[in-house]
Amino acid sequence: MWRHRVSLKEQLGRVPLFENLSEFDLAHVARAAVRVREPAGEILIKEGEPGHEFLIVLEGQVDIGHGDQVVTTLGPGAYLGEIALLDERARRTVTAMARTPVAIAFISRRDFSRLLSELPELARQIRETAARRVAGDANIPLE
């Protein structure tokens, strides 16, 4: 039985953050991203630590915790980590742990900065989300 393997570019194209990008720009993002699989229970980012990457949930569910409480669960298409990358002095504001086995795309700080400078529409969307998260918008989970 032949199974179509979904490319990272195809998976990223399903993420609302990237859905308005051109095919060329989406390919640019896909080249900067690294897809990894992690088991349930794996800590993906830890509250209080410096941020080194932007994280996009491709498959599975990720629990977002603040202090000792899980405040929300994110699924495919969600992203986090931008706050600590937009401000080098900022620390992670939450802990993210894989609730189920997950597929995640990571983009390094260097590549994230480069993408924001080369893709102004993407930069605008990420900065708007980060501002709403910092302001405490209940519908936008913190990183």
Side-chain angles (χ1 to χ4, degrees):
M1 180 173 158
W2 185 81
R3 292 177 63 187
H4 172 68
R5 182 176 174 163
V6 178
S7 71
L8 179 56
K9 179 182 165 194
E10 288 175 286
Q11 283 186 299
L12 291 172
R14 297 177 188 153
V15 173
L17 176 65
F18 303 126
E19 65 189 3
N20 293 323
L21 293 181
S22 69
E23 286 292 313
F24 178 82
D25 289 346
L26 186 58
H28 194 59
V29 172
R31 282 191 301 276
V34 175
R35 181 177 26 205
V36 297
R37 294 196 177 276
E38 297 291 353
E42 184 73 21
I43 301 292
L44 306 171
I45 63 173
K46 189 161 176 67
E47 186 175 359
E49 292 184 350
H52 300 291
E53 65 276 320
F54 180 64
L55 181 148
I56 305 149
V57 181
L58 301 172
E59 299 171 15
Q61 294 186 329
V62 175
D63 283 337
I64 304 300
H66 185 64
D68 294 335
Q69 289 189 316
V70 172
V71 295
T72 194
T73 300
L74 304 178
Y79 60 92
L80 58 153
E82 76 284 352
I83 294 170
L85 295 183
L86 291 172
D87 180 351
E88 290 187 22
R89 300 163 297 173
R91 300 289 180 163
R92 299 289 191 190
T93 58
V94 297
T95 294
M97 182 177 73
R99 170 176 251 188
T100 65
V102 294
I104 304 290
F106 286 101
I107 299 175
S108 72
R109 176 186 290 278
R110 185 186 84 226
D111 288 335
F112 181 79
S113 295
R114 183 176 46 79
L115 287 171
L116 294 187
S117 69
E118 295 171 359
L119 304 173
E121 178 58 23
L122 178 62
R124 183 192 63 74
Q125 289 180 47
I126 288 175
R127 286 190 171 96
E128 283 179 4
T129 299
R132 288 193 313 262
R133 288 178 179 177
V134 168
D137 185 330
N139 296 319
I140 307 287
L142 291 174
E143 72 165 307

